[in-house]
Each structure stands twice: as structure tokens, then as C-alpha cells.
Amino acid sequence: MVPLSWYLSLSAVLFIIGIVGVLVRRNVIVVFMSVELIMNSVNINLIAFSHYLSSITGQIFTIFVITVAAAEAALGLALIVVVYQNKGSINVDEMNVMRW
Amino acid sequence: MLADYVPVVLLLAIGLLIGVSSQLIGKLVRPDRPDPEKLSPYECGIEPEGDTLSPNAIPYYIYGLLFLLFEVEVLFFFTWAAVYQNMMLFAFIEITFFAFILFLGLIYAWLKGALDWRAG
Amino acid sequence: MSLLMKVGVVVGILMLAIAYITLAERRILAFMQFRMGPNRVGWGGVLQPLADAVKLLSKECIMPEQADKWMYRTAPVVSMAFALVPFAVVPFAQAFYITDINIGLLFIMAMGSVGFLGTIMGGWSSRSKYSFLGSLRALALMISFEVPMIMAMTGVIIFSRSLSMVKIVEAQAQYGWFVLLQPLAFVIYLLCGVAETQRIPFDMLEDEGSLVCGFHTEYSGIRFGLFFMAEYANMFMVAIVATVLFLGGWQRPFVSWPFFNFLSVIPSIFWFSIKVLALMFLYIWLRGTLPRVRYDQLIYLCWKILLPLSLINLMLTALYMLWGMNAWTFLALSIGSGLAWLWVYDKTQTLARSPS
Amino acid sequence: MAFLILAAIAVASAVMVVSVKNVVHSAFSLVVTLFSVGCLFILLRAEFLAATQILIYVGSIMILIIFALMLIDIKEANRQRRFHHQSKFVIGIGIILVIEIILFIIPRSEFIESPEKLIARTAEAGGNIQIIGQSLFTDFIFAFEFASIIILVAIVAAIFLGKQPTSIIKKSSVIKDSS
């Protein structure tokens, strides 16, 4: 039987890989994918707690996290596409003005 | 419950094995005589022109966007349908509200012309 | 029966079925077009699939020079593997299934959506305009049709109270075949199934006229063969899901009437396969009969007709469960509302077209 | 055992996501990560969530990301520098954080692990999806209805953004799909 702390460790590792991705990559879509990684590590945590602590709430929360992630993905990518169409670049460093 | 998933893994392994092994076996049997004409991308016989990887994918992208949002809503219907018979009226009122909001989204997309196909 | 044996039997039968449905398709199409079809290899062409396999294996696999090598090789494997996995949850006959999981139906949909990735991988990695455009088109279509498809399934789940394939079949012993209670959902599912598997009236994938051959333009030899097999496995899967959800799975006809009990002497695998083969014949027939639909019309069919219709069907089913109205009234209501929506849609189209 | 394999796949492909040069390869490694995380959910007896994860993340969000990648100029994106100049510093901090969490924080925290109760309740309700449904439509009903409103807002906003003029794409497009 795998102990709970293993799942927590895995989720921590994924979380930090996601954070590093957000901080170091310059391509905004890769940054976006790193955010998805972070969300997934949270999902692992929620479901692991739900299983080991015998409560269904964690799983229900994960459903809502996935719902919000979907809304966020749709909006985030729509924004990225609009920015790309206006500036011709998807580089985070170059998105430095609030209006154009 | 976990034992139910062992055959799934087995089938996945078989599927991967079929895919990989048939390509490997094919490698032993088939001829391999490349030449530049063969290796260039197919373009109805004329010389390939322009950059291959920059087509206009915007119209497809819009449908992907709508699909993602509707898919999430539709998944809630599955959980609802599985327990509907246990809590009839209450669940019915809830889902009516839910479906109404989904319908609003569809109507909005329709009126704004997001469902209309825009080529190019 | 041990697990390994079951898996072996299922995979073996599936491979045979795929091989022979291709032959059947060619012969039936030939018959419809007053041709002969393949009839040289073996007796009347029965060994044709074997010859095809040998040909595909021994044919040169050309990989475009600029292709993304590893993704190009992986794409057919992904398509094939994820076309095969859903067969794990299919109840082929009474008490004959590899496994029965609680989320069977959702599992099939999930594995199908992973299979879509094989399409875009193949299209993107071969660096050809035709295959790339073909894969984008096909993908946009497949994902669009997934929404009404799932909505149509939901109507059935209200009755069966479970997503397990075995339980759905068993529930039809109580209610009768769901096609009688959910005719609208059945039609929606069949149309979506044709679009999901990219068969002819809806086949944007292989729109020869404008896109050469869709996403596998650059594939040849056994790699093409893998895509081809995956396509037919998906076709079988759609037919099987339609059978399980709407046509009573392994159950004999008139399952709730004791008068027809004598039909039970025929083994249940027979009923299952006859229904699946009938649906496969329907697909082949469609291919032989109908012209290809234009892409924008197809998108409209999905979003403007099938999606609202499936929503209407779902709400009607919920009302039916709530009030316990007469089954015939329900049947008339659902068919009537389907036709009413088509009429309304037609009106909006004429309004949009008229100059103002 | 299954956990270790899946975790190794997930971590390896997650590292690929943030490190490979080609953005499309990065997207497909994210697919592998999400898929193996979905399989982990099955180990945790959350079948419905596993299927949802694969259907929504792999089957929808990733497809949308790939569509978005197809819109941009991938060759240009791949030619550019991958990392910021302070990346070495960030990676160092990341490694220190991982070590700290795994070695010091998690072993110190204690939970009473008792998965049996939920397994029993699930069996009583008839399965994972049924128990989720029951709890979703009683205790979490407000969140459920609110989720639909969030999605409605997202639909409205996404359509609004999607209708912006397509200046640059029009100029650079080589192929026009006319059908």
C-alpha cells in the first residue's frame, strides 16, 4: 500500500516543475502549459486526501478545479491568440505594455 | 476495483505492441530506396512552396474553444443522470436551471455568429 | 475462462473482423456500383485481406525528409493502441466481457479522445500542407460532434442509472430496447458516430477532392495500415456502443415479452454480432449511396441541429421520468419536437438568406 | 509498483514540458503527464475523475492548446531563446524547494490514513460516479449551479475575444482553406 506522503511528494515535485516552467520559459504558451501542470499537482493532492482521509469532498473539488481550468484555458488561449495577432509575438518579455 | 483495470492495461500493451512490432517487422521485409523526389512532401506533383506550418487555423480554433466549454458542461449531465432516479424533483429543477444556462450560452454563440463557418 | 485467454480471443476476433469488414465493404460497394470487387485471391476473394496485409508489410514506408521522425512513427501506434483499448469494456455476450468497470461509457469516450491526438500527431509531423490541414479539419469536426454524442448518451443513462456497459444492457431487459424510448438520441448518436469515424457522407478527413487523403497523405506501407486498422476498429466501436446503448446489446428481440422466450435458444453472441454487423452494413450502405456533405453544412448540423435536439431530448426524458407519462406520448413528443426543431431551423435559414 | 512507474513517467514528461526546445513536443509531453496523472487517479479509486481528467485535459484542453500552437509561427517560436537569463538561479531554487518539501515538510506531517470508509460508502452507493453525483447534487448544489455560470461567462468572453480582427494571420497565411 502506497502511503499518502508519496502522493504528496509527487505533487510537490510536479508543482515545482510547473513553477520553474512559469519562471524560466519565454514562450507564453509553454508558460500556460506549466500553469496546467501546477493545477494538476493540486488535483493529485485533492484526490489523494480524498482517498486516504475517506471524504468525497476532495473529488468534488477536483471536478470544479477541472471546470475552472477549462474556462481558464479557453480564455487564456483566446487572449494569447489576440495578443499574438496584434503584436506578432508570443514572447513573455515582449508583452510589456498595457495597451497598444 | 483495481483488478478491473488490469485487462485495460493489458489491452493497451497489446495495442502498443501491435503498433511497434508491425513497424519493426515491416522494416525487415520492406525495401528502402529513398530519393529526394520521394521524400519531398506531396503537393500534386508541383514543387512544394512556402512554409508548411503556417496555415490559417482560426476557424477551427473557434470550434475548439466552444467545444471545450460545452464538453465540461456536458460532463456534469453524466453525474446527474446517474443519480436522477434517486432524487427526482429536486434534481429536475437543478438541471433545468443548468440546461437553461447552457442553452443561453448556445444562443449567445449563435447570435454572435460564432457558429458560422468563416473560411480563410 | 482465464483473463489472458479472453483478451486473446477478443483481439483475435477483432483483427479478423477488421480484415473481413474491409473485404465486405469492397464487395458490397462493388455490388452497389455493378462491379465485381476483389474476387481473385482465394475462393471469390476470401484471402484478399491476407494479400493486403502482405502487401502493406512489404511496401516501402516513405518518410518525408522534413518530418518530425519520432512523432511520425508514434502517431499510428497511438491511433492503433487507443482504438483497441475500449474493447476491454464491451459485453459481447451474456457473461462474456473482459472487464466491467463502473465508468465504462465514459472510459470509451475518454480513450476515443486520446485517439484523436494520433490524428493531429500524424498530420503535424509529416510537414505536408495537405495532411496538416486535413488533420485540423478532421479534428475540429470530431471534437464538435463529441458534444451532442455525449448528450445523446445521457438520455440512456437516466434509465440505466449506471455507466457500466453490462448494467446498461441489463436495464434494457426491464425497459425494452432503448431505441424505442430514445429514438431521437439514437438518430443523433448514429449521425455523430458517422462523423466521429469520418465515414463518407461526413468524411472531411479523406476529402479526396480538396485534401488528397487527409492526415495520412504522407503515410505509406504498414504505417498507413495501422491508421487504417484503427479507423475500422473505431467504426466497430461506434457500432458496438450503439448496439449496447440502444439496441439491447446481447439481448434477443422482444426481450420483455415472455411469449418470445423460444428465441432464447439462440446464443446471445449471435444477437450481438447480428446487430453490430447490421449497423456496419448501414455505414457501408451510406458510403455507397450518399454524396459528401460540405464542411460548413456539417458544422451547422452539429452545432445548430444536433446539439439543441439532444438538449431537448434530454429534458423530455427527464420530464418523462418525473411524471411517468405514457410511453407512446413520450415517443410522439420526442419525434414531434425533433421535427419541430428542424422546421424552426429551416425557417431561420430562409430568414438569413432572404435579402433585407 | 504501479505508482512508481506512473510517477516516474509523470515527472520525466513534466521535465520535458519545461525543457524541450520544440513547443509542439512540449505540448505532447504534457499530454503524457496528464495521462499518467489520470492513471494515478484510478489507483486512488477516483475512476470518474480519471476519465474526466483524460476527457477534459487530454481530449479538450490539450487539443485547444495544440490548435493555438498551430496558429502561431512555430518555426519562429522554436528559433528563439528558450529560457530567461536568470533561469539557472530559478532551477537551483526549484531543486532546493523539492528537496526541502520531500525530506523535511512531508515526513513531519501526520495524517490518519483510513481509506476503507470511503471504499465502503462507494460500494454502498453503487459506484464512484453515483457517490459523486449524490454529494454534488445535495451538498455542493450552489457550486454546481455556479460552475454553469462561470462557463457561460467564459463562453461570452471567449466569443468576444475570438471575434477580434485577424490582421497578422491574414498577412502571413500561405494556405487559405476555402470550403
Side-chain angles (χ1 to χ4, degrees):
Chain A
M1 183 81 180
V2 183
L4 173 57
S5 56
W6 290 25
Y7 283 97
L8 298 187
S9 310
L10 171 67
S11 130
V13 171
L14 286 183
F15 187 83
I16 286 165
I17 292 172
I19 295 264
V20 169
V22 170
L23 289 177
V24 303
R25 287 302 292 254
R26 297 170 82 232
N27 186 319
V28 71
I29 296 185
V30 180
V31 169
F32 189 80
M33 292 197 277
S34 306
V35 174
E36 298 293 329
L37 261 181
I38 295 174
M39 283 212 173
N40 253 276
S41 74
V42 174
N43 285 355
I44 296 178
N45 256 357
L46 283 172
I47 291 188
F49 279 129
S50 153
H51 177 62
Y52 284 101
L53 306 185
S54 270
S55 159
I56 198 72
T57 314
Q59 295 189 20
I60 302 232
F61 257 77
T62 313
I63 294 182
F64 292 123
V65 170
I66 290 178
T67 311
V68 173
E72 171 249 345
L75 280 188
L77 287 170
L79 278 173
I80 289 170
V81 168
V82 171
V83 168
Y84 176 71
Q85 285 173 349
N86 283 300
K87 291 191 66 107
S89 161
I90 46 157
N91 213 319
V92 190
D93 297 345
E94 289 163 29
M95 295 181 191
N96 48 9
V97 284
M98 296 299 281
R99 59 186 292 272
W100 56 82
Chain B
M1 189 223 110
L2 284 185
D4 290 345
Y5 284 88
V6 174
V8 176
V9 177
L10 203 64
L11 262 176
L12 183 62
I14 290 176
L16 292 175
L17 200 73
I18 290 176
V20 173
S21 65
S22 62
Q23 289 196 34
L24 287 179
I25 294 171
K27 197 156 202 161
L28 299 177
V29 195
R30 68 185 176 226
D32 184 23
R33 287 184 287 272
D35 72 58
E37 272 308 309
K38 262 189 210 168
L39 295 185
S40 68
Y42 179 79
E43 204 137 314
C44 302
I46 53 170
E47 288 287 309
E49 182 189 320
D51 188 7
T52 314
L53 289 181
S54 61
N56 195 345
I58 279 270
Y60 307 108
Y61 169 76
I62 299 282
Y63 293 112
L65 213 67
L66 285 175
F67 157 73
L68 169 60
L69 294 168
F70 278 104
E71 176 95 338
V72 176
E73 289 203 77
V74 162
L75 266 185
F76 279 109
F77 282 112
F78 261 3
T79 45
W80 166 79
V83 293
Y84 179 54
Q85 288 197 27
N86 302 344
M87 37 173 102
M88 301 293 279
L89 186 61
F90 185 52
F92 181 75
I93 295 167
E94 282 163 10
I95 211 65
T96 313
F97 184 66
F98 191 81
F100 175 68
I101 290 186
L102 189 152
F103 198 63
L104 276 188
L106 185 64
I107 294 284
Y108 181 82
W110 195 325
L111 292 181
K112 283 284 167 186
L115 301 180
D116 292 336
W117 172 252
R118 293 173 296 167
Chain C
M1 220 191 297
S2 81
L3 175 68
L4 273 175
M5 231 170 101
K6 266 188 195 169
V7 172
V9 167
V10 168
V11 173
I13 289 179
L14 179 67
M15 289 297 151
L16 267 183
I18 290 174
Y20 278 94
I21 202 74
T22 57
L23 177 66
E25 176 163 20
R26 289 160 76 183
R27 291 304 300 251
I28 292 170
L29 280 180
F31 170 74
M32 286 174 178
Q33 296 160 351
F34 302 105
R35 292 185 286 116
M36 292 301 284
N39 61 352
R40 293 285 156 169
V41 192
W43 306 268
V46 284
L47 291 181
Q48 185 66 36
L50 199 70
D52 285 341
V54 171
K55 183 200 82 174
L56 283 175
L57 261 178
S58 59
K59 214 175 155 184
E60 184 176 359
C61 280
I62 304 162
M63 189 193 299
E65 210 168 8
Q66 301 163 338
D68 196 318
K69 301 268 179 316
W70 279 103
M71 253 164 77
Y72 183 85
R73 291 189 188 110
T74 332
V77 181
V78 170
S79 273
M80 185 65 218
F82 286 96
L84 197 62
V85 174
F87 286 89
V89 295
V90 175
F92 292 95
Q94 196 151 22
F96 182 77
Y97 45 85
I98 298 179
T99 177
D100 175 33
I101 59 180
N102 179 246
I103 47 156
L105 202 52
L106 201 58
F107 174 80
I108 291 172
M109 299 305 292
M111 290 302 131
S113 68
V114 180
F116 295 164
L117 287 171
T119 310
I120 189 100
M121 276 170 90
W124 183 80
S125 65
S126 46
R127 293 287 196 285
S128 161
K129 283 167 205 165
Y130 290 108
S131 42
F132 185 47
L133 211 50
S135 68
L136 281 183
R137 243 183 197 219
L139 199 64
L141 204 68
M142 289 186 202
I143 59 176
S144 294
F145 273 91
E146 213 173 89
V147 178
M149 196 175 194
I150 293 185
M151 293 272 271
M153 288 171 170
T154 314
V156 169
I157 295 165
I158 290 179
F159 290 103
S160 71
R161 311 166 77 164
S162 172
L163 267 66
S164 143
M165 299 292 265
V166 176
K167 292 221 177 85
I168 290 173
V169 176
E170 278 164 0
Q172 294 179 63
Q174 184 193 344
Y175 291 101
W177 292 5
F178 285 142
V179 64
L180 297 174
L181 285 165
Q182 299 276 309
L184 210 53
F186 181 61
V187 173
I188 293 170
Y189 181 83
L190 277 189
L191 287 176
C192 292
V194 179
E196 288 277 283
T197 49
Q198 304 281 324
R199 296 287 300 171
I200 252 208
F202 300 166
D203 67 330
M204 287 306 127
L205 194 84
E206 288 169 36
D207 191 348
E208 293 96 345
S210 59
L211 283 177
V212 189
C213 202
F215 72 95
H216 47 58
T217 303
E218 297 290 344
Y219 279 89
S220 56
I222 191 64
R223 293 190 186 123
F224 166 75
L226 285 173
F227 273 128
F228 194 68
M229 265 153 68
E231 200 182 315
Y232 277 87
N234 282 332
M235 251 170 87
F236 266 111
M237 202 60 226
V238 167
I240 284 172
V241 172
T243 306
V244 167
L245 288 186
F246 298 103
L247 297 181
W250 71 70
Q251 316 238 12
R252 63 185 165 79
F254 312 109
V255 65
S256 44
W257 294 4
F259 177 72
F260 286 97
N261 267 346
F262 65 89
L263 285 173
S264 300
V265 291
I266 303 173
S268 53
I269 183 94
F270 170 77
W271 294 118
F272 182 82
S273 30
I274 203 96
K275 289 169 196 168
V276 171
L277 289 179
L279 285 174
M280 293 300 277
F281 177 72
L282 182 71
Y283 281 151
I284 296 169
W285 194 5
L286 282 179
R287 178 174 171 186
T289 317
L290 294 177
R292 184 175 291 122
V293 179
R294 226 169 56 206
Y295 192 82
D296 57 335
Q297 291 171 334
L298 207 44
I299 288 278
Y300 294 160
L301 173 70
C302 170
W303 288 101
K304 296 188 173 178
I305 298 179
L306 294 186
L307 185 56
L309 266 185
S310 56
L311 202 60
I312 291 171
N313 176 60
L314 187 66
M315 293 318 290
L316 272 179
T317 313
L319 262 181
Y320 171 72
M321 280 321 263
L322 194 67
W323 282 346
M325 65 174 105
N326 187 346
W328 292 107
T329 325
F330 174 57
L331 194 67
L333 253 178
S334 54
I335 293 175
S337 61
L339 294 176
W341 180 259
L342 285 181
W343 185 78
V344 169
Y345 177 72
D346 190 50
K347 280 288 160 211
T348 62
Q349 287 308 95
T350 12
L351 274 181
R353 242 183 272 120
S354 64
S356 58
Chain D
M1 187 61 198
F3 170 80
L4 287 179
I5 295 170
L6 287 172
I9 295 172
V11 171
S13 53
V15 170
M16 290 262 290
V17 172
V18 295
S19 63
V20 294
K21 194 167 181 62
N22 191 328
V23 283
V24 177
H25 289 178
S26 166
F28 280 105
S29 356
L30 186 56
V31 167
V32 177
T33 314
L34 296 175
F35 189 80
S36 49
V37 168
C39 297
L40 278 177
F41 289 175
I42 290 176
L43 291 185
L44 290 169
R45 311 288 198 283
E47 298 162 273
F48 177 68
L49 263 301
T52 310
Q53 163 99 1
I54 292 173
L55 201 62
I56 298 288
Y57 267 109
V58 178
S60 320
I61 294 184
M62 286 319 296
I63 283 180
L64 194 62
I65 288 181
I66 290 166
F67 270 152
L69 283 175
M70 301 305 167
L71 285 174
I72 63 168
D73 193 347
I74 294 174
K75 276 203 182 134
E76 180 57 32
N78 290 344
R79 221 174 286 128
Q80 287 176 344
R81 214 156 40 86
R82 248 180 301 177
F83 301 124
H84 289 294
H85 38 270
Q86 72 275 48
S87 63
K88 287 198 184 100
F89 178 66
V90 174
I91 292 168
I93 290 188
I95 291 170
I96 293 171
L97 270 175
V98 168
I99 292 170
E100 186 186 336
I101 291 178
I102 292 176
L103 288 187
F104 301 111
I105 298 180
I106 290 174
R108 302 262 169 95
S109 50
E110 282 178 12
F111 302 100
I112 303 148
E113 299 175 15
S114 60
E116 297 79 19
K117 245 190 284 171
L118 185 61
I119 293 174
R121 263 174 61 208
T122 309
E124 191 189 327
N128 186 253
I129 184 166
Q130 280 86 357
I131 193 171
I132 286 183
Q134 275 169 14
S135 153
L136 188 63
F137 290 99
T138 50
D139 303 340
F140 295 90
I141 185 65
F142 178 71
F144 167 73
E145 302 292 9
F146 202 73
S148 70
I149 294 176
I150 289 179
I151 295 172
L152 179 65
V153 171
I155 289 175
V156 171
I159 288 169
F160 176 74
L161 288 172
K163 287 185 74 68
Q164 294 283 314
T166 57
S167 51
I168 285 173
I169 293 296
K170 281 251 169 68
K171 261 181 263 163
S172 70
S173 69
V174 175
I175 313 164
K176 288 234 165 73
D177 181 26
S178 51
S179 58

